Amino acid sequence: MADYQETPNLFKPLQVGRMRVLTRVALAPLSRSRAPNHQVTALHTEYYSQRASRAGTLLITEAVFISAAAAGFTSSPGIYKQDHIEGWRQVFSAIHAKRSFVFVQLWALGRAAVRDNLAAEGLPYVAPALMPQDLAPENSATAPRALTRGEIKQYVADWVQAAHNAIAAGADGVEIHAANGFLLDQFLHANTNSRDDEYGGSIENRARIVLEVVDAVCAAVGADRVGIRISPWGNFGDVDPGAGSPVAQWSYLLAELQRRADAGHELAYVSTVDIRDDAAAAPTTSGADEAAITSLQRDARNRDFARLTWRGVLIRASGYNYERACHETALDPRLVIAVGRLFIATPDLPDRWERKIPLNRYRRESFYTMGAVGYTDYPFADELVARGDRDSETKTMASL
């Protein structure tokens, strides 16, 4: 393991919007599918409270629906009803009791939704544009219809209301989910946005709704309470980064965010989902051969364009281990590392990384099941020591 200064940047304070985080290890937004009827429960309170145990940690919640129309999964949470707000209030209070911070990731599914779930509520199945739909077997061959301009404006208003609801419930801020093949990301990709109006047809037009959401939410709750997540290289939901120029599209978006920052409206952070170094070689995007995808994945590891364009706080998520997290935060003084699977399994992850304590094994089979198993039953380091079975429950950081 490389030598670092006595206190690595990873464990130094950093100003992130209105917050002064005390560690640059953040909980990545992780859908866990444990919210029946879009309602959080006492399990959510326990889960997030556990991962807030290191004071000054930033937690970004799982993706949360901004409205009933934005939904389409039955077991992901919402924040558009009063009982949703009250449920989240308990979660946020528990996080703040540990002196940590929380941003709520706000999303809409678009063509990634399960059509029948929407139909059961009398809601339309929509996307940026009419196109074949083959994401979920449940949807059969049904294609979503294109959103009208009026519906686009309503979605913008729904993001604003959801942001108001999150702040009213006690959140420190909100993260606009514009990644991973969901509605806003569908607008950004040429292969899922064939519109010929002001919301499609060019780099600027494809970014229009994202910037409208950013501007409206910032006006509602303050730019320093707003983050955004993007995935320029992602291919979730059949978006195709090879269908255009990811660097050109997302450089334009980041340049617009930086222009707003220069005018006094700097976001708390920009979060990027990068291709993992151990990403599977098999391509899943459409319309590109294997050689092209291999080249794209190789080029994607050069992520300098994001940092060269956006000068504010940057959060990266890409399968980080301790070594990489320390190395990259040493190079970039405004970088935060978001950790997913390892934080699922190890509620005291920042402490264990700092103290060089091995981590719990994560159990992938329970990532999306209901109940406490694989959710709130992962032990803290002191529990393992008390039980005398740390070696049987953990693996070394070097093997991660």
Side-chain angles (χ1 to χ4, degrees):
M1 190 170 290
D3 291 330
Y4 294 101
Q5 55 190 308
E6 185 175 346
T7 302
N9 278 352
L10 192 62
F11 306 111
K12 287 184 176 179
L14 179 67
Q15 194 70 31
V16 180
R18 300 186 185 189
M19 308 170 294
R20 185 166 176 80
V21 300
L22 301 182
T23 173
R24 303 181 195 190
V25 183
L27 175 68
L30 300 160
S31 291
R32 303 302 308 278
S33 299
R34 285 170 164 85
N37 301 314
H38 304 168
Q39 181 64 54
V40 296
T41 69
L43 271 178
H44 291 82
T45 302
E46 183 177 3
Y47 171 80
Y48 284 106
S49 175
Q50 288 174 343
R51 283 146 192 84
S53 60
R54 169 81 172 232
T57 299
L58 171 60
L59 280 63
I60 307 168
T61 72
E62 61 209 278
V64 178
F65 293 129
I66 60 173
S67 66
F73 300 159
T74 58
S75 56
S76 293
I79 197 162
Y80 56 88
K81 293 182 177 179
Q82 191 59 40
D83 58 342
H84 298 161
I85 295 170
E86 294 307 320
W88 281 115
R89 193 187 308 278
Q90 302 304 311
V91 176
F92 303 154
S93 293
I95 292 169
H96 290 149
K98 298 291 183 70
R99 294 181 293 127
S100 284
F101 306 100
V102 58
F103 267 45
V104 181
Q105 189 186 66
L106 301 176
W107 71 336
L109 294 181
R111 66 189 291 265
V114 177
R115 180 206 59 181
D116 288 348
N117 292 339
L118 291 171
E121 302 293 329
L123 296 167
Y125 178 42
V126 295
L130 179 67
M131 66 174 294
Q133 165 65 23
D134 57 4
L135 296 183
E138 299 95 328
N139 289 337
S140 301
T142 302
R145 69 163 174 80
L147 285 162
T148 66
R149 288 184 178 89
E151 287 172 326
I152 288 173
K153 299 302 183 185
Q154 183 59 55
Y155 266 98
V156 175
D158 289 344
W159 252 287
V160 169
Q161 185 59 57
H164 277 305
N165 293 348
I167 299 302
D172 298 289
V174 296
E175 178 179 285
I176 297 165
H177 195 346
N180 295 351
F182 298 112
L183 182 62
L184 292 182
D185 197 33
Q186 293 159 25
F187 272 92
L188 289 166
H189 283 84
N191 78 306
T192 50
N193 183 357
S194 58
R195 298 179 72 99
D196 59 5
D197 62 6
E198 67 270 31
Y199 291 100
S202 69
I203 286 172
E204 295 81 3
N205 284 353
R206 287 196 296 271
R208 187 179 304 278
I209 184 176
V210 179
L211 293 171
E212 286 182 355
V213 171
V214 167
D215 290 343
V217 173
C218 287
V221 302
D224 54 0
R225 282 178 162 171
V226 179
I228 187 171
R229 190 173 226 215
I230 57 174
S231 55
W233 311 103
N235 50 31
F236 294 102
D238 208 33
V239 296
D240 187 353
S245 171
V247 172
Q249 180 69 65
W250 276 267
S251 289
Y252 170 77
L253 177 61
L254 290 168
E256 283 295 303
L257 297 177
Q258 185 59 52
R259 184 173 67 81
R260 287 158 170 77
D262 293 341
H265 305 289
E266 182 172 334
L267 298 182
Y269 62 82
V270 169
S271 175
T272 62
V273 185
D274 299 317
I275 289 180
R276 290 165 43 84
D277 286 340
D278 60 352
T284 59
T285 53
S286 60
D289 60 29
E290 186 171 352
I293 293 296
T294 301
S295 174
L296 179 63
Q297 290 180 337
R298 182 176 60 252
D299 292 344
R301 293 186 181 119
N302 181 353
R303 300 160 297 177
D304 288 347
F305 86 92
R307 175 44 85 200
L308 290 172
T309 310
W310 171 253
R311 298 191 296 274
V313 173
L314 184 67
I315 299 180
R316 289 199 187 280
S318 179
Y320 279 89
N321 60 15
Y322 172 77
E323 186 77 9
R324 283 185 61 217
C326 263
H327 175 70
E328 294 203 19
T329 52
L331 296 176
D332 187 340
R334 301 197 71 185
L335 182 65
V336 173
I337 303 299
V339 183
R341 295 169 301 164
L342 302 186
F343 222 148
I344 286 175
T346 306
D348 52 346
L349 175 76
D351 284 341
R352 293 212 210 177
W353 269 2
E354 186 173 38
R355 296 162 58 194
K356 312 298 191 298
I357 298 174
L359 309 182
N360 300 333
R361 292 184 178 93
Y362 57 79
R363 304 190 293 276
R364 189 184 297 275
E365 67 276 8
S366 61
F367 280 178
Y368 306 109
T369 56
M370 296 294 287
V373 174
Y375 193 57
T376 57
D377 63 342
Y378 285 107
F380 286 76
D382 56 358
E383 296 176 71
L384 293 171
V385 170
R387 284 167 20 192
D389 62 354
R390 188 171 75 188
D391 291 340
S392 68
E393 294 286 331
T394 59
K395 58 183 177 179
T396 63
M397 287 183 289
S399 68
L400 292 173

